[in-house]
Amino acid sequence: MAGPGKCFLVTGPPGVGKSTLIMRVFESLKVSNPTLKVQGFYTREIRQGSERVGFDVVTLDGRRGPLASTNISSPGSHGWPTVGKYKVDVASFESLALPELQVKEDTGLFIIDEVGKMELFSSSFFPAVLKVLESNIPVLASVPIPKSGRDIPGGVLLTCTVARLKNQPGATIFTLSSSNRDAAKETIYSQLVDVLRKH
């Protein structure tokens, strides 16, 4: 299991800046620890004008593919799972994200943005996350605040998954708001640097 303080979880309401914060921490770490091998992925909004039309999954070395979209019309997409108005491309997500969660000897840090409802449509995703947690390698991940209500597709699974992560031994939880984002970034960065120095 991950030792004390090796699992950093960023949570908060949608749009508060969880992904932005994680990428700012990653960029700072690249400057201060240029030889650090970081694996993982983040999600990026796709917009047409002012409207959000989907999300891409992006690896930390820049490869990207669709995660979900409002306008997918490829063969077979009619059977894909949906979250709200978005159809989730599980195969595309798995092809990019799962290899990034393979534990390797020289990996110094995992970044997982995010452990959310769309990602959990992959039955292989959470088992891969658990293997990462058991590897004792530091993890920086984002988790949503689950909405209450059993009528939400995947809501129970998401609630259980988030609870499992928050109960991880050594997990430190940062709940973001618009007023504490900058301070949280500095705190997470300095704590991660400290953990990486000892790792």
Side-chain angles (χ1 to χ4, degrees), residues 145-152 159:
I145 295 176
K147 295 189 182 106
S148 57
R150 283 173 295 185
D151 56 332
I152 303 160
T159 301

mmCIF file of all heavy atoms in Angstrom, residues 145-152 159:
data_model
loop_
_atom_site.group_PDB
_atom_site.id
_atom_site.type_symbol
_atom_site.label_atom_id
_atom_site.label_comp_id
_atom_site.label_asym_id
_atom_site.label_seq_id
_atom_site.Cartn_x
_atom_site.Cartn_y
_atom_site.Cartn_z
ATOM 1 N N ILE A 145 -16.657 15.397 -7.061
ATOM 2 C CA ILE A 145 -17.539 15.259 -5.913
ATOM 3 C C ILE A 145 -18.781 14.553 -6.428
ATOM 4 O O ILE A 145 -19.504 15.097 -7.272
ATOM 5 C CB ILE A 145 -17.918 16.629 -5.313
ATOM 6 C CG1 ILE A 145 -16.671 17.313 -4.748
ATOM 7 C CG2 ILE A 145 -18.996 16.470 -4.245
ATOM 8 C CD1 ILE A 145 -16.909 18.708 -4.231
ATOM 9 N N PRO A 146 -19.031 13.297 -6.001
ATOM 10 C CA PRO A 146 -20.190 12.581 -6.546
ATOM 11 C C PRO A 146 -21.487 13.300 -6.193
ATOM 12 O O PRO A 146 -21.660 13.751 -5.073
ATOM 13 C CB PRO A 146 -20.123 11.205 -5.869
ATOM 14 C CG PRO A 146 -18.739 11.096 -5.328
ATOM 15 C CD PRO A 146 -18.300 12.494 -5.025
ATOM 16 N N LYS A 147 -22.364 13.413 -7.187
ATOM 17 C CA LYS A 147 -23.690 13.971 -6.923
ATOM 18 C C LYS A 147 -24.501 12.925 -6.175
ATOM 19 O O LYS A 147 -24.388 11.740 -6.450
ATOM 20 C CB LYS A 147 -24.393 14.309 -8.237
ATOM 21 C CG LYS A 147 -23.721 15.405 -9.029
ATOM 22 C CD LYS A 147 -24.623 15.810 -10.189
ATOM 23 C CE LYS A 147 -23.958 16.881 -11.034
ATOM 24 N NZ LYS A 147 -23.475 16.382 -12.294
ATOM 25 N N SER A 148 -25.310 13.368 -5.256
ATOM 26 C CA SER A 148 -26.141 12.393 -4.546
ATOM 27 C C SER A 148 -27.334 12.032 -5.429
ATOM 28 O O SER A 148 -27.750 12.807 -6.273
ATOM 29 C CB SER A 148 -26.623 12.975 -3.226
ATOM 30 O OG SER A 148 -27.317 14.169 -3.457
ATOM 31 N N GLY A 149 -27.833 10.844 -5.253
ATOM 32 C CA GLY A 149 -28.987 10.409 -6.043
ATOM 33 C C GLY A 149 -28.686 9.139 -6.794
ATOM 34 O O GLY A 149 -27.679 9.045 -7.481
ATOM 35 N N ARG A 150 -29.575 8.174 -6.643
ATOM 36 C CA ARG A 150 -29.330 6.878 -7.273
ATOM 37 C C ARG A 150 -29.771 6.853 -8.731
ATOM 38 O O ARG A 150 -29.542 5.889 -9.427
ATOM 39 C CB ARG A 150 -30.072 5.781 -6.491
ATOM 40 C CG ARG A 150 -29.351 5.419 -5.206
ATOM 41 C CD ARG A 150 -30.158 4.470 -4.383
ATOM 42 N NE ARG A 150 -31.394 5.105 -3.935
ATOM 43 C CZ ARG A 150 -32.270 4.549 -3.117
ATOM 44 N NH1 ARG A 150 -32.051 3.331 -2.664
ATOM 45 N NH2 ARG A 150 -33.366 5.169 -2.741
ATOM 46 N N ASP A 151 -30.409 7.923 -9.170
ATOM 47 C CA ASP A 151 -30.905 7.933 -10.547
ATOM 48 C C ASP A 151 -29.813 8.266 -11.548
ATOM 49 O O ASP A 151 -30.014 8.178 -12.748
ATOM 50 C CB ASP A 151 -32.048 8.950 -10.682
ATOM 51 C CG ASP A 151 -31.639 10.354 -10.236
ATOM 52 O OD1 ASP A 151 -30.747 10.437 -9.365
ATOM 53 O OD2 ASP A 151 -32.194 11.326 -10.751
ATOM 54 N N ILE A 152 -28.636 8.668 -11.064
ATOM 55 C CA ILE A 152 -27.552 9.045 -11.981
ATOM 56 C C ILE A 152 -26.860 7.779 -12.473
ATOM 57 O O ILE A 152 -26.401 6.983 -11.653
ATOM 58 C CB ILE A 152 -26.522 9.945 -11.276
ATOM 59 C CG1 ILE A 152 -27.221 11.188 -10.716
ATOM 60 C CG2 ILE A 152 -25.401 10.339 -12.198
ATOM 61 C CD1 ILE A 152 -26.438 11.868 -9.638
ATOM 62 N N THR A 159 -19.473 6.883 -6.528
ATOM 63 C CA THR A 159 -19.439 7.180 -5.095
ATOM 64 C C THR A 159 -18.549 6.183 -4.361
ATOM 65 O O THR A 159 -17.725 6.568 -3.519
ATOM 66 C CB THR A 159 -20.869 7.159 -4.515
ATOM 67 O OG1 THR A 159 -21.652 8.128 -5.218
ATOM 68 C CG2 THR A 159 -20.885 7.494 -3.037
#
